[in-house]
Amino acid sequence: MHDKLALSDDILLQIEKPERYIGHEYNSVVKDPETVGIRFAMCFPDVYEIGMSHLGIQILYHLLNSMPDVWCERVYSPWPDLDRIMRKEQIPLFALESQDPIRDFDFLGITIQYEMCYTNILQILDLARIPLLAAQRGEDCPIVIGGGPCTYNPEPLADFFDIFYIGEGETRYGQLLELYRECKAQGLGRLEFLRRTAREVPGMYVPRFYEAAYGQDGVLQSFGPIEEGIPARVRKELVTDLKDAVYPDKPVVPFIKVTQDRVVLEIQRGCIRGCRFCQAGQLYRPVRERDVETLKQYAVQLLHNTGQEEISLSSLSSSDYSALAELVDFLMETCAGQHTNISLPSLRIDAFYLDVMSKIQDVKKSSLTFAPEAGSQRLRNVINKGLTEEMILNGATLAFQGGWNRVKLYFMLGLPTETPEDIRGIGELANRIAAAFYETVPKENRKNGRVQIVVSTAFFVPKPFTPFQWAAQCVPEEFLHRAYLTRTAISEQLNQKSIKYNWHEADVSVMEGVLARGDRRLGKVIQKVYEKGGIFDAWGEYYDDSRWREALAECGLSADFYTHRERPLDELLPWDFIDCGVTKEFLKREWERAQRAEPSANCKVKCEGCGAAGFGCGICVIPGRKSS
Amino acid sequence: MNKIRIKFQKYGPIRYIGHLDVMRFFQKAIRRAGIDVSYTSGFSPHQIMSFASPLGVGMESRGEYMDIQVNSLPAPREGKSVCDVLVEDLRRVCVEGLEPVSARILPDTAKNAMASVAAASYTVRFREGREPGGFCALPEAGRQDKIRAFTGQERIPFVRETKKGAREIDLRPGIFSLVWKDRAFEMLLDASSAGNRKPGHVAAAFFDFLGEPLGENALWITREDLFARGEDGIMGELISLGEMGSADPETEVLHEP
Ligand code: SF4
Ligand code: SF4
């Protein structure tokens, strides 16, 4: 056993949850550093409990460690208590498995899942003693490579990364690492490796070989490669056949309770639905299902290899998985008598769901979740959310008959074309659900006397590669006004006593919007915020809006430019050079239809010709489907 | 149904895994090992499992215990006893530093590990560079004299900081033995739920008695074993929790400890 710990006993005894930093979890991979050529540190830039819950990291960890010449280890953001100590005592950031400094690794991979973790990326680099700016890194620094959904607009982070890997990690790491070996063997330096990566490995964006220019009005005027041979467009990588794709059959089992304290079974990638606000729905097209027989085997193996007491199905919209009933039946049979729980998030609430849930869960303790996202049918047509009031009321009524009495409703405020009328619809819908409860459940059967409805609203943040990428976002005052209207609308309802209302912070939603649709100039802003002490911005208690406002002002930039402006359709967007499969023409068509409140069909009903068929896989190639 | 007592060790970096997480670890390990553990009934069943006295974060132990209840025992194989098979199966799915070492089958009437603990033995060393100079510089006989003088007191008051404020306790009745050997203290202390005494407190009181300050985190504490009282009540002989019950139900007659 290697007993080495990067942190002393004095430190480990004074910080919160030392278990975050000591490694040694079951199924974590330890190799002899003498026998591997490439040391890879895989980072999720947030606290251990969040990072450990991420399936993508487990997949890449498994994939990279299956290569005999590579040792992939994990690293997460040190919590502020340890962050302070590491700075004070000058302790370099280390990987969990070997406890060795990250600075000595060949690669530092960072998954970028949400915008508000950007300052944590700088924290990681800084604590690792890697220069923040890619341009200042020497031959002895690890290659810093980013992946994940935020890399579909990598521009605000362009200064800090050597490479962005656009798309799914399974496809190109083998080739990339082979090229790295080759360059090393030939004694080629960092720059040459990066150049050849940009030229030769599909899906790799190396920002230093591109240049952006802006007009007087601040709008991006040109963007492109500055060298011969560097591709002008970078196309997303994806796994065309999930059947033979690797799956982490021995995921790391943490000691401490993490957010996803269970086995996660990914049943499909992508989503057929194309809700117009949703980035994931576009980025991961086309939807690709995993084979149900293979999934059954995985389920058994994963439970056996981890000893977890719960298994959860994972996908963007599990109800659309074609063999769902078969898989759920299998799980119920397998788990029966094994004291294993099944959890089924992102499922549509209908008779099937309620039947399954009543068998696997304590009805009285669970609540129903609906995400209508908008309060009126008109606005739901605008956003192409195919959930109707009738479906919600039918689902809820069935559930009330089955004994459920708690409902959670999720909405967005500030959607394009939203009016006070739509907002009132939120209160009215909640009220009708409450009324359905009182009509359905006779007085003597009512637990606690009444139904509990919790309405939550998030503020809409337009994202790249969605039909709303051109839309204006509200300013914070407008967001708060709409939250106020929502609260008023709820308080005017007959059943208002049964309805509770929560809303999100407005400031942080605006800053998320700035970063989501930002350009390269924001790198300086992120760095300034970090230098002012900003880390863990995704955690409400650490987010400080004034730091961001000041940094923007110091850089001569404004939040409104990035968020509050409706972009003309012919504007060059910072992420236009990325080809995610979905075409700009399709997005424009969808944006126009949205303004006419016209819904579009989902991929199962009809192909809307989004462009992802070019990948030649998944739902697009299922024979006999209609196309437009 | 059988009650099984499993002895395990905790050492190395694993000393930072908290008590509840050790429990969670073994719940999963038992499932990985395919041990036919019993569950409680009800809507959220959990494994029937009980741990002897929790170990503080940062401490190592050579003698930790958990009792579990199983519906059936594994089949003996390769000439190994049922208990050895069970330990081997479990060890294969554990991590280094959190390792089962032996198991015993307990009579059905046995009290669970938690309830039977009466005493614990510890080795208390000094971390490198944090040895209290005065005490360590004494000749061996002088050190023994100091310890005798300390334990010879009628009362050993110690002020314990708790969430509810400071509270004075008397350590003396809880110190069953205290010796200095091979540059370490060996302590046998009361570990019953009512009279539990901590090795760190005893060491702190001793250096207080000597008037010599003890640096922060100066102590390196290893729990060696846990003991129960024999059947003749309060004053009965101490028996290691790991020696109760039987290692092989086929050849030995189960007897009450
Ligand atoms: S159902 Fe809609 S919101 Fe959900 S993942 Fe699919 S497109 Fe996105
Ligand atoms: S090409 Fe058609 S079927 Fe394929 S993802 Fe796009 S809309 Fe769906």
Side-chain angles (χ1 to χ4, degrees):
Chain A
M1 154 183 220
H2 66 104
D3 274 358
K4 185 170 133 194
L5 286 174
L7 302 173
S8 70
D9 288 330
D10 290 334
I11 295 173
L12 287 163
L13 285 168
Q14 65 170 291
I15 55 175
E16 222 180 279
K17 301 198 187 168
E19 295 151 302
R20 288 167 174 163
Y21 312 105
I22 62 168
H24 284 85
E25 302 96 327
Y26 187 72
N27 283 339
S28 58
V29 178
V30 174
K31 295 189 180 184
D32 177 357
E34 300 303 317
T35 65
V36 295
I38 296 178
R39 299 282 298 269
F40 199 116
M42 187 61 79
C43 171
F44 190 111
D46 206 325
V47 73
Y48 178 92
E49 291 91 318
I50 307 256
M52 273 302 290
S53 303
H54 189 248
L55 178 65
I57 293 252
Q58 295 266 15
I59 292 178
L60 290 178
Y61 185 76
H62 173 86
L63 170 84
L64 292 168
N65 278 320
S66 69
M67 305 175 182
D69 189 41
V70 182
W71 184 9
C72 175
E73 305 181 44
R74 294 157 301 141
V75 58
Y76 304 101
S77 306
W79 191 245
D81 61 344
L82 179 60
D83 176 272
R84 270 192 298 277
I85 295 171
M86 290 176 79
R87 284 169 206 272
K88 195 165 135 247
E89 308 203 0
Q90 308 212 342
I91 299 165
L93 186 69
F94 53 92
L96 293 186
E97 282 79 353
S98 65
Q99 303 272 309
D100 288 339
I102 302 289
R103 180 66 158 73
D104 301 336
F105 280 53
D106 298 279
F107 284 88
L108 170 58
I110 301 179
T111 180
I112 318 169
Q113 296 288 323
Y114 30 87
E115 290 79 5
M116 297 323 289
C117 76
Y118 289 1
T119 46
N120 277 39
I121 294 174
L122 300 199
Q123 177 210 23
I124 293 281
L125 293 171
D126 204 10
L127 290 178
R129 301 190 186 160
I130 298 169
L132 299 184
L133 299 176
Q136 291 172 1
R137 287 178 201 143
E139 294 296 329
D140 58 339
C141 282
I143 303 285
V144 180
I145 178 166
C150 291
T151 61
Y152 286 88
N153 177 19
E155 286 304 276
L157 292 171
D159 294 344
F160 312 118
F161 280 83
D162 296 302
I163 308 173
F164 289 103
Y165 183 134
I166 313 296
E168 294 168 354
E170 286 101 329
T171 55
R172 293 292 170 188
Y173 267 115
Q175 187 183 347
L176 181 71
L177 298 183
E178 193 48 53
L179 178 66
Y180 180 75
R181 265 182 221 112
E182 199 185 308
C183 290
K184 229 174 144 180
Q186 293 174 15
L188 300 175
R190 184 181 191 91
L191 188 66
E192 197 47 33
F193 165 67
L194 293 174
R195 179 173 287 124
R196 288 193 54 188
T197 297
R199 288 183 175 183
E200 296 169 28
V201 189
M204 301 300 137
Y205 166 49
V206 181
R208 72 177 68 197
F209 296 123
Y210 296 77
E211 214 168 63
Y214 306 88
Q216 294 238 300
D217 52 0
V219 170
L220 186 65
Q221 221 153 43
S222 67
F223 181 90
I226 51 173
E227 262 185 36
E228 201 65 27
I230 304 289
R233 273 171 80 75
V234 181
R235 186 163 165 86
K236 157 180 101 173
E237 277 297 303
L238 98 176
V239 181
T240 51
D241 186 4
L242 282 174
K243 191 159 195 266
D244 299 316
V246 291
Y247 204 81
D249 59 346
K250 288 182 178 150
V252 178
V253 186
F255 288 106
I256 52 175
K257 219 175 161 66
V258 298
T259 317
Q260 281 271 7
D261 192 28
R262 51 188 75 87
V263 158
V264 178
L265 197 60
E266 186 197 41
I267 59 175
Q268 61 187 352
R269 277 201 198 153
C271 178
I272 58 169
R273 299 211 163 249
C275 304
R276 290 179 182 132
F277 56 85
C278 173
Q279 191 186 32
Q282 306 294 341
L283 292 186
Y284 307 126
R285 283 179 173 224
V287 72
R288 289 144 293 153
E289 296 196 343
R290 286 188 187 268
D291 173 56
V292 66
E293 293 306 323
T294 319
L295 286 176
K296 290 179 190 172
Q297 280 173 23
Y298 285 155
V300 173
Q301 277 171 15
L302 284 165
L303 287 168
H304 178 258
N305 292 344
T306 60
Q308 293 281 18
E309 285 158 346
E310 185 167 328
I311 183 166
S312 167
L313 299 187
S314 153
S315 80
L316 291 169
S317 168
S318 297
S319 297
D320 297 323
Y321 178 64
S322 56
L324 184 71
E326 181 182 345
L327 183 61
V328 169
D329 277 347
F330 174 83
L331 290 180
M332 286 199 292
E333 248 168 66
T334 314
C335 296
Q338 303 285 319
H339 303 285
T340 305
N341 298 320
I342 304 171
S343 93
L344 302 170
S346 61
L347 231 60
R348 191 169 43 241
I349 294 172
D350 54 15
F352 169 77
Y353 173 86
L354 295 170
D355 178 51
V356 170
M357 290 315 274
S358 64
K359 289 179 194 149
I360 63 175
Q361 256 193 13
D362 188 351
V363 169
K364 283 169 215 76
K365 288 197 195 119
S366 62
S367 57
L368 304 166
T369 303
F370 294 97
E373 306 292 1
S376 71
Q377 192 54 48
R378 185 200 70 83
L379 194 52
R380 283 193 293 272
N381 289 346
V382 169
I383 63 175
N384 201 33
K385 187 90 212 173
L387 191 63
T388 63
E389 180 162 323
E390 197 189 342
M391 286 157 80
I392 296 170
L393 289 175
N394 285 345
T397 304
L398 269 177
F400 295 149
Q401 286 162 356
W404 273 268
N405 65 351
R406 290 196 288 181
V407 182
K408 289 189 200 156
L409 297 172
Y410 291 97
F411 296 93
M412 271 187 280
L413 290 177
L415 288 162
T417 78
E418 184 180 59
T419 63
E421 196 62 30
D422 300 313
I423 294 175
R424 244 191 318 280
I426 295 176
E428 286 162 8
L429 179 59
N431 188 56
R432 263 174 236 136
I433 294 172
F437 176 84
Y438 296 115
E439 279 158 29
T440 312
V441 185
K443 255 207 176 84
E444 57 279 15
N445 295 350
R446 292 179 199 163
K447 285 260 160 193
N448 321 319
R450 62 165 71 121
V451 64
Q452 277 177 42
I453 297 178
V454 180
V455 172
S456 302
T457 60
F459 295 119
F460 168 62
V461 182
K463 294 280 165 102
F465 294 110
T466 67
F468 291 165
Q469 64 178 357
W470 293 280
Q473 192 185 2
C474 295
V475 294
E477 301 70 39
E478 179 60 29
F479 272 145
L480 292 176
H481 175 63
R482 294 189 191 196
Y484 168 77
L485 289 182
T486 311
R487 202 183 55 191
T488 313
I490 289 172
S491 66
E492 283 164 1
Q493 303 302 321
L494 196 61
N495 293 304
Q496 48 118 338
K497 286 219 171 71
S498 307
I499 311 169
K500 205 174 152 278
Y501 176 47
N502 304 316
W503 67 93
H504 276 216
E505 292 293 321
D507 291 338
V508 71
S509 303
V510 169
M511 224 40 82
E512 185 188 325
V514 169
L515 295 172
R517 292 189 295 169
D519 53 42
R520 272 192 187 194
R521 293 172 298 183
L522 288 173
K524 294 223 166 39
V525 176
I526 299 167
Q527 192 172 343
K528 277 187 191 292
V529 171
Y530 172 70
E531 282 160 2
K532 291 172 194 288
I535 49 168
F536 285 95
D537 281 305
W539 295 70
E541 69 263 43
Y542 291 105
Y543 178 77
D544 178 353
D545 199 54
S546 61
R547 277 202 280 251
W548 286 90
R549 297 272 162 191
E550 279 166 28
L552 279 165
E554 287 164 24
C555 295
L557 298 168
S558 86
D560 285 1
F561 170 81
Y562 292 104
T563 58
H564 197 47
R565 188 168 65 87
E566 184 173 323
R567 289 158 168 77
L569 287 177
D570 59 0
E571 180 172 320
L572 180 62
L573 302 171
W575 53 92
D576 275 345
F577 74 99
I578 288 176
D579 172 6
C580 82
V582 170
T583 61
K584 206 167 180 182
E585 287 64 46
F586 168 74
L587 295 175
K588 279 182 191 163
R589 217 155 58 222
E590 284 291 293
W591 175 225
E592 281 153 5
R593 275 194 198 169
Q595 278 152 351
R596 299 193 300 267
E598 263 175 45
S600 289
N602 73 50
C603 297
K604 266 194 189 160
V605 173
K606 175 171 154 254
C607 171
E608 297 277 6
C610 76
F615 291 112
C617 63
I619 191 151
C620 317
V621 296
I622 290 173
R625 55 181 302 86
K626 283 188 244 159
S627 71
S628 65
Chain B
M1 296 270 222
N2 282 98
K3 273 193 189 179
I4 314 276
R5 173 161 298 159
I6 298 165
K7 179 177 185 178
F8 62 95
Q9 300 186 335
K10 188 181 175 193
Y11 59 87
I14 299 298
R15 67 185 178 278
Y16 286 104
I17 308 298
H19 176 65
L20 286 177
D21 294 322
V22 169
M23 281 177 66
R24 283 164 31 85
F25 174 84
F26 278 115
Q27 280 160 6
K28 288 176 180 154
I30 282 169
R31 292 167 65 92
R32 294 194 286 264
I35 292 169
D36 186 13
V37 64
S38 314
Y39 282 78
T40 58
S41 47
F43 223 104
S44 49
H46 52 266
Q47 294 179 8
I48 299 180
M49 181 182 252
S50 136
F51 279 70
S53 153
L55 188 70
V57 167
M59 278 192 217
E60 297 193 318
S61 176
R62 278 190 262 269
E64 292 299 289
Y65 296 92
M66 66 174 165
D67 291 354
I68 60 172
Q69 186 176 306
V70 295
N71 300 320
S72 66
L73 292 165
R77 62 170 182 249
E78 299 153 10
K80 289 180 198 120
S81 75
V82 163
C83 286
D84 288 348
V85 167
L86 194 134
V87 169
E88 196 177 280
D89 288 351
L90 190 57
R91 187 160 40 206
R92 199 177 310 130
V93 292
C94 287
V95 294
E96 258 187 293
L98 201 50
E99 288 176 24
V101 286
S102 62
R104 307 277 283 192
I105 297 174
L106 299 181
D108 294 345
T109 53
K111 281 199 278 186
N112 71 29
M114 181 71 106
S116 42
V117 175
S121 56
Y122 300 91
T123 306
V124 180
R125 291 183 190 79
F126 298 109
R127 281 210 163 78
E128 233 179 89
R130 299 191 192 182
E131 301 85 355
F135 177 72
C136 290
L138 289 175
E140 186 59 27
R143 282 196 286 255
Q144 301 295 357
D145 284 347
K146 295 285 185 200
I147 291 174
R148 260 193 304 277
F150 174 69
T151 51
Q153 302 173 94
E154 210 156 291
R155 287 190 79 245
I156 302 179
F158 180 79
V159 180
R160 200 174 60 174
E161 303 290 338
T162 67
K163 278 181 201 123
K164 289 180 204 133
R167 201 164 73 86
E168 194 186 275
I169 51 171
D170 181 12
L171 296 177
R172 186 63 198 91
I175 303 175
F176 300 155
S177 90
L178 172 65
V179 292
W180 172 261
K181 215 174 122 190
D182 297 335
R183 303 188 18 232
F185 294 105
E186 287 177 5
M187 299 184 187
L188 183 66
L189 305 180
D190 190 334
S192 66
S193 51
N196 185 44
R197 292 294 178 258
K198 291 183 173 168
H201 292 170
V202 172
F206 177 63
F207 285 96
D208 213 36
F209 171 77
L210 296 186
E212 180 167 14
L214 195 60
E216 212 186 323
N217 298 329
L219 304 174
W220 178 276
I221 302 172
T222 308
R223 182 143 81 188
E224 298 293 342
D225 207 356
L226 290 167
F227 302 88
R229 289 279 173 205
E231 54 185 2
D232 40 349
I234 291 288
M235 296 315 290
E237 214 182 319
L238 290 173
I239 308 169
S240 162
L241 285 192
E243 275 160 23
M244 301 167 84
S246 144
D248 190 349
E250 302 294 309
T251 54
E252 279 179 50
V253 184
L254 293 180
H255 64 273
E256 293 279 325

